[in-house]
Amino acid sequence: SPAAAEKFGLGRVATDAEVAAWDLDVHPDGSGLPEGSGDVWTGETVFADNCAVCHGDFAEGVGNWPKLAGGMGTLDRKDPLKTVGSYWPYLSTTWDYVNRSMPFGNAQTLTPDEVYAITAYILFSNDLVDDDFVLSKETFLDVEMPNADGFILDDRLTSEAHFVREPCMENCKGEVKITKNVVFKGDPNSPDDPEAEPAAQEAVAEE
Amino acid sequence: MTDSSGIKGPSRRAFLKAAAASVPVAAVAGAARADDPLITEVQEWASGLGEGVDATPYGLPIEYESDVIRRNVEWLTADAISSINFTPIHALDGTITPQGCAFERHHSGAIELKKEDYRLMINGLVDRPLVFTYEDLERFPRENHVYFCECAANTGMEWAGAQLNGAQYTHGMIHNMEYTGVSLRTLLEEAGLDAAGDLTDKWVYVEGADASSNGRSIPMEKALDDCLVAFKANGEALRMEHGYPVRLCVPGWEGNMWVKWLRRIDVSDSAVESREETSKYTDTLADGTSRKWTWAMDAKSIITSPSPQMPIKHGKGPLVITGLAWSGRGAITRVDVSKDGGKTWETARLAKPGERMALTRFYLDTTWEGEEMFLQARAMDETGYVQPTKDELREVRGENSIYHNNGIQTWWVQPNGEADNVEVS
């Protein structure tokens, strides 16, 4: 058992300040949130200054940069629009990710109050709160995320159990015909190859 | 595409034209043949001198292999920083990926982190929160393992149909290396897990030192099983772009969890549900619900040659069909190859017995009479799982999963030896 494991005496004890500097995790129940607050209108200003150049004035996205708002009710359609409002299950993730990793190229420069305000503005942009909403540690769990119940645990071992099978080796199917031919036939790295270029705004991958 | 010297590489089209012009005329037995001056005339390299041993302290591949490089596809992502490139798997053989052309995927770019500046913290529900230096990590007992790292999004662009023309682009978000490091279990036990109590419901949150952090939650059972805190790959230090000086290996599981520039390991009683396991790396089904925590990469294979970037140039006769197979749920036990789009199958030869959570090389030594072929490979792993077709996957999942596309690939080889990415009935 781990209790009996050999210790090597390597490393040193982390100080409280060191742990506080790096452990910024916020869990879905709000644990890990710092003190602070921010309202929608402050958030609009902070968002305009720090975020809108990529994410748009209304969090609707610029060019291929991520859209943070919109897309409600599109998850079962051909090209779902997955945003904080339409897709993200927990508000904690928005706070945590903005706090840790945004703005892109200038991360970890926002104060807790600014992160609360930006998060409030993103909620407002998704029509999830009114314009007088103030987000804080205390009001955090009041927000209902529309797709909170939209996730299931990985069920491949049951829903795809039929892929455990004896494979067919002969006479496995009838006539074989091409059903889908390659869309970008040329070398995608050859900019002068017209066959390699997607049509404008077509098929941008999500990572 | 330009290489590091700024020389524009040949396009695939130019390459194919050159290939067509050099198809050899079949030798006629007994007929008089011209002498080959490469043999009958003394060549410069057989007379003069080559380079001295001081010419290249750390070498790169010879210039004639300049097309065996990572490639990106600009229009796949909004910028090149949070983006992906592709391993040239079409041109490689065996199973070990050369680090210099092994794919990259960053969310805030490849950062430069010196060993002297490196710190690893373990905190949360541990007996003593610890900080390690790089030197500390080298003093723990080490292990060596070969594992594949496959991006969850590998083949993701192909969900709706055949998009990109080459194994590098359709299946190249993968590499396979021999890692040296310390087991994550050893480090967790150094911090002490008594404080965590019952470990069966505990989690480990891991994050990197880069701006994206790439934090992911891993169940304690996996953390204590086979995760490796690695500092060497293929015998040498990790490359900067692969997490220098320290990364996490999570054998068999989606590449996103292989946190690079690993800086913190946090033991907790619930998953963080971070951005990389809610917004991303969740798989949306046809009804709009989404699977989360789809960690394992299922059994998969790809024929690397012939393939769109590797047309048959030698004419009729002996042909080596080769490719790679792998499974995140164990060892590959068998690979079948079809030349007729899945009507009939032949069992290929594994170069070595499959190793758990590692790439396996297969060969089918065959004869090609210039006929059209619809080449497919089908992997089986030790759990009995048989790689499904793309249609079979779409029947369960629809087309919006983005991740975890392990469907069977088809290459349409035409009588001129060229191959295209297609789907067949």
Side-chain angles (χ1 to χ4, degrees):
Chain A
S1 82
E6 184 186 2
K7 292 275 200 291
F8 296 91
L10 293 169
R12 62 162 176 85
V13 172
T15 70
D16 291 346
E18 288 169 342
V19 172
W22 276 9
D23 184 352
L24 307 173
D25 312 345
V26 180
H27 286 245
D29 65 1
S31 62
L33 280 171
E35 297 301 331
S37 67
D39 61 66
V40 169
W41 295 119
T42 306
E44 185 192 41
T45 304
V46 181
F47 194 88
D49 291 346
N50 293 281
C51 320
V53 63
C54 295
H55 296 295
D57 289 338
F58 308 100
E60 79 282 17
V62 174
N64 285 338
W65 295 103
K67 297 166 172 57
L68 308 181
M72 299 292 181
T74 65
L75 297 180
D76 60 354
R77 297 188 192 164
K78 180 167 170 53
D79 292 306
L81 176 55
K82 294 153 89 168
T83 71
V84 173
S86 69
Y87 192 62
W88 292 34
Y90 305 112
L91 187 58
S92 55
T93 313
T94 308
W95 205 98
D96 179 296
Y97 184 67
V98 170
N99 182 51
R100 254 195 258 236
S101 299
M102 288 288 134
F104 190 63
N106 197 28
Q108 302 201 70
T109 58
L110 300 168
T111 66
D113 283 349
E114 287 174 327
V115 178
Y116 276 114
I118 288 170
T119 306
Y121 183 68
I122 293 171
L123 290 171
F124 175 72
S125 299
N126 279 288
D127 300 321
L128 297 177
V129 297
D130 294 328
D131 62 3
D132 60 352
F133 180 69
V134 181
L135 184 67
S136 68
K137 205 170 163 177
E138 288 67 38
T139 62
F140 204 79
L141 292 178
D142 296 344
V143 180
E144 286 182 35
M145 298 297 278
N147 199 40
D149 296 326
F151 293 81
I152 59 169
L153 291 180
D154 182 2
D155 65 344
R156 282 176 290 173
L157 289 180
T158 49
S159 65
E160 297 175 10
H162 54 294
F163 298 149
V164 175
R165 54 189 164 177
E166 191 55 44
C168 175
M169 296 299 286
E170 283 180 19
N171 302 318
C172 301
K173 57 166 88 162
E175 194 183 3
V176 169
K177 279 186 172 169
I178 293 175
T179 55
K180 290 173 180 168
N181 215 323
V182 66
V183 173
F184 308 119
K185 188 174 166 68
D187 185 335
N189 272 275
S190 180
D192 54 351
D193 187 340
E195 289 181 319
E197 288 290 308
Q201 299 301 316
E202 191 178 352
V204 172
E206 283 201 56
E207 319 92 63
Chain B
M1 188 65 194
T2 54
D3 64 20
S4 56
S5 64
I7 299 165
K8 193 168 166 55
S11 73
R12 174 170 168 266
R13 174 152 311 152
F15 172 66
L16 289 175
K17 273 185 199 144
S22 67
V23 169
V25 177
V28 180
R33 268 164 286 171
D35 297 326
D36 184 346
L38 283 168
I39 298 171
T40 57
E41 294 172 12
V42 175
Q43 300 297 310
E44 194 279 333
W45 57 82
S47 176
L49 303 174
E51 279 190 342
V53 296
D54 56 350
T56 314
Y58 198 109
L60 288 170
I62 195 165
E63 61 181 301
Y64 312 115
E65 297 295 314
S66 63
D67 61 325
V68 186
I69 52 174
R70 294 189 278 237
R71 296 178 188 275
N72 71 319
V73 177
E74 208 175 289
W75 50 267
L76 285 179
T77 50
D79 75 332
I81 302 296
S82 181
S83 193
I84 187 80
N85 64 26
F86 301 92
T87 303
I89 55 169
H90 63 289
L92 302 177
D93 212 317
T95 58
I96 295 295
T97 312
Q99 290 199 82
C101 65
F103 88 103
E104 303 168 68
R105 200 282 184 253
H106 319 300
H107 293 77
S108 298
I111 60 167
E112 194 175 298
L113 178 54
K114 283 191 292 194
K115 286 178 182 172
E116 291 80 2
D117 295 342
Y118 179 77
R119 298 290 184 273
L120 176 62
M121 182 184 291
I122 301 186
N123 75 305
L125 300 175
V126 294
D127 301 341
R128 298 184 311 149
L130 292 178
V131 172
F132 299 112
T133 63
Y134 180 82
E135 288 73 19
D136 292 334
L137 295 182
E138 284 200 333
R139 295 172 68 190
F140 285 100
R142 285 175 221 169
E143 299 180 11
N144 283 256
H145 301 280
V146 176
Y147 295 130
F148 74 80
C149 174
E150 183 186 17
C151 181
N154 199 21
T155 322
M157 277 299 288
E158 306 290 308
W159 268 113
Q163 298 278 322
L164 294 168
N165 221 14
Q168 179 170 20
Y169 304 108
T170 59
H171 289 73
M173 296 182 195
I174 193 166
H175 56 59
N176 191 67
M177 302 189 193
E178 184 196 46
Y179 293 97
T180 301
V182 180
S183 76
L184 179 54
R185 170 187 274 270
T186 298
L187 297 182
L188 288 167
E189 289 175 349
E190 186 72 10
L193 290 170
D194 287 348
D198 180 3
L199 295 178
T200 55
D201 61 351
K202 296 302 182 294
W203 292 80
V204 168
Y205 186 69
V206 286
E207 68 174 359
D210 63 315
S212 83
S213 100
N214 198 48
R216 287 292 310 252
S217 303
I218 299 174
M220 181 62 82
E221 185 184 9
K222 179 69 173 178
L224 293 177
D225 179 16
D226 58 2
C227 292
L228 187 71
V229 176
F231 39 79
K232 295 281 171 72
N234 295 349
E236 61 181 354
L238 298 171
R239 294 293 170 95
M240 174 180 80
E241 61 270 31
H242 297 139
Y244 180 93
V246 177
R247 84 171 308 163
L248 190 66
C249 299
V250 189
W253 287 19
E254 58 188 12
N256 176 257
M257 308 178 81
W258 293 49
V259 172
K260 297 186 286 191
W261 314 290
L262 179 69
R263 84 167 190 186
R264 198 171 62 88
I265 299 161
D266 184 337
V267 177
S268 71
D269 53 16
S270 63
V272 170
E273 302 272 10
S274 70
R275 185 254 197 183
E276 305 293 334
E277 56 203 17
T278 54
S279 169
K280 305 298 177 185
Y281 307 100
T282 49
D283 312 354
T284 301
L285 303 170
D287 68 358
T289 62
S290 302
R291 291 171 175 163
K292 69 175 183 178
W293 300 342
T294 47
W295 299 309
M297 301 305 292
D298 280 314
K300 187 167 173 179
S301 65
I302 180 66
I303 291 173
T304 53
S305 182
S307 65
Q309 295 158 290
M310 296 290 283
I312 302 172
K313 294 178 290 180
H314 54 57
K316 298 172 185 177
L319 171 70
V320 174
I321 297 172
T322 187
L324 293 164
W326 62 95
S327 171
R329 300 192 196 271
I332 290 295
T333 52
R334 189 173 119 188
V335 180
D336 298 325
V337 170
S338 175
K339 297 184 233 174
D340 56 13
K343 275 197 259 192
T344 59
W345 296 83
E346 298 170 70
T347 298
R349 171 170 63 87
L350 304 186
K352 287 194 294 187
E355 291 177 45
R356 305 191 80 239
M357 302 17 170
L359 293 190
T360 298
R361 170 65 56 178
F362 67 84
Y363 298 102
L364 185 72
D365 307 297
T366 189
T367 302
W368 184 56
E369 298 299 347
E371 75 276 22
E372 173 184 79
M373 294 189 287
F374 293 102
L375 288 182
Q376 297 182 338
R378 182 179 67 191
M380 292 176 65
D381 72 20
E382 63 181 288
T383 71
Y385 178 97
V386 178
Q387 183 184 359
T389 66
K390 290 179 180 175
D391 283 335
E392 286 173 327
L393 281 180
R394 287 189 284 242
E395 266 174 43
V396 181
R397 307 184 194 173
E399 293 184 1
N400 289 331
S401 281
I402 300 175
Y403 307 107
H404 293 282
N405 185 349
N406 66 319
I408 290 172
Q409 174 67 47
T410 307
W411 302 133
W412 174 33
V413 179
Q414 293 132 69
N416 66 2
E418 288 191 43
D420 277 328
N421 175 8
V422 298
E423 291 194 25
V424 294
S425 54

